[in-house]
Amino acid sequence: EAGVTQSPTHLIKTRGQQATLRCSPISGHTSVYWYQQALGLGLQFLLWYDEGEERNRGNFPPRFSGRQFPNYSSELNVNALELDDSALYLCASSQGLADYEQYFGPGTRLTVT
Amino acid sequence: AQTVTQSQPEMSVQEAETVTLSCTYDTSESNYYLFWYKQPPSRQMILVIRQEAYKQQNATENRFSVNFQKAAKSFSLKISDSQLGDTAMYFCAFMTGAGTASKLTFGTGTRLQVTL
């Protein structure tokens, strides 16, 4: 069974641009979580989608947004990129609202120059 | 708000020895879940072990076991017979158990180096 996949592996953008990161959950999983792992800040929760709806949002500005598609894959968009947005972005999936175990993808390394 | 504290930024252990990683947390909730995740240099986060707060019995997964002290809000991970492949960052994480699943709140991690 395939695990959580993320694309691209690496992404280099310049300040002010927009970045789009993609995540495909494990087959049968309906929940997708996004986390930011920035150097020195640890893992911070960004967004949670389940069955196409945004369930929860972390303490991030509105320029961080996303969506979940009917096939449960998800997209994270970061607008007006800032240097501090450089981080590893991790996606995790679970079987839904009653599943307490999250399985992570390999991440997308975003570098903003 | 819940907080998770890992007070050991780095640890080292020799192969075949036992090591214990510490984690404390703060919450006012009575029902919650605790996890240990491993992040090797390949950066893929791997779930190592999970503990439900309502269970008194400590969770065990092969060479990995936890010491869950609910009153002390402590959740340590013991790795027995350490192997070179155990070299990784280890994160302790908390999830509220209030009805539905939720976000994970992570500690800052402990970097474990297993040496020959």
Side-chain angles (χ1 to χ4, degrees):
Chain A
E1 180 182 292
V4 177
T5 60
Q6 292 185 246
S7 63
T9 304
H10 295 93
L11 188 58
I12 300 175
K13 294 285 187 178
T14 56
R15 192 168 46 184
Q17 284 188 318
Q18 178 194 33
T20 298
L21 289 65
R22 296 179 176 84
C23 172
S24 291
I26 292 171
S27 177
H29 286 194
T30 63
S31 276
V32 170
Y33 300 79
W34 287 96
Y35 295 87
Q36 182 195 66
Q37 187 175 20
L39 201 61
L41 293 178
L43 282 139
Q44 304 291 323
F45 167 73
L46 265 166
L47 288 160
W48 171 26
Y49 294 95
D50 183 75
E51 297 281 2
E53 292 187 16
E54 183 179 300
R55 293 287 177 173
N56 199 357
R57 181 182 181 85
N59 189 24
F60 281 84
R63 58 190 187 82
F64 286 84
S65 65
R67 55 180 170 167
Q68 187 178 34
F69 299 99
N71 67 353
Y72 304 117
S73 66
S74 178
E75 199 173 81
L76 174 68
N77 295 293
V78 188
N79 294 321
L81 284 166
E82 300 178 0
L83 296 179
D84 286 347
D85 295 335
S86 294
L88 180 66
Y89 289 84
L90 293 170
C91 168
S93 75
S94 73
Q95 291 188 45
L97 299 181
D99 185 14
Y100 295 91
E101 290 191 3
Q102 296 180 16
Y103 296 88
F104 283 80
T108 292
R109 172 74 66 189
L110 173 64
T111 301
V112 183
T113 62
Chain B
Q2 293 82 14
T3 58
V4 179
T5 302
Q6 293 180 251
S7 58
Q8 305 152 315
E10 295 185 358
M11 294 193 72
S12 181
V13 64
Q14 287 193 320
E15 197 177 23
E17 297 295 307
T18 295
V19 64
T20 298
L21 309 183
S22 301
C23 172
T24 58
Y25 58 94
D26 188 25
T27 183
S28 58
E29 299 181 15
S30 59
N31 189 25
Y32 49 87
Y33 296 80
L34 295 163
F35 305 85
W36 279 98
Y37 279 88
K38 166 186 175 181
Q39 188 178 39
S42 66
R43 80 192 189 197
Q44 178 108 32
M45 293 278 283
I46 301 165
L47 177 62
V48 174
I49 199 164
R50 145 186 168 170
Q51 175 79 43
E52 292 88 341
Y54 63 85
K55 289 187 178 179
Q56 292 186 334
Q57 187 173 5
N58 290 324
T60 299
E61 287 288 341
N62 301 314
R63 298 183 296 108
F64 299 88
S65 62
V66 298
N67 183 5
F68 174 49
Q69 301 290 328
K70 191 171 183 178
K73 295 181 181 175
S74 170
F75 183 61
S76 61
L77 175 69
K78 185 172 81 171
I79 305 174
S80 304
D81 186 25
S82 296
Q83 301 175 359
L84 295 177
D86 295 334
T87 293
M89 280 289 288
Y90 286 81
F91 292 95
C92 178
F94 173 101
M95 179 188 289
T96 177
T100 67
S102 182
K103 65 177 182 178
L104 287 164
T105 299
F106 287 90
T108 51
T110 296
R111 186 175 302 279
L112 177 66
Q113 181 72 47
V114 180
T115 60
L116 291 171

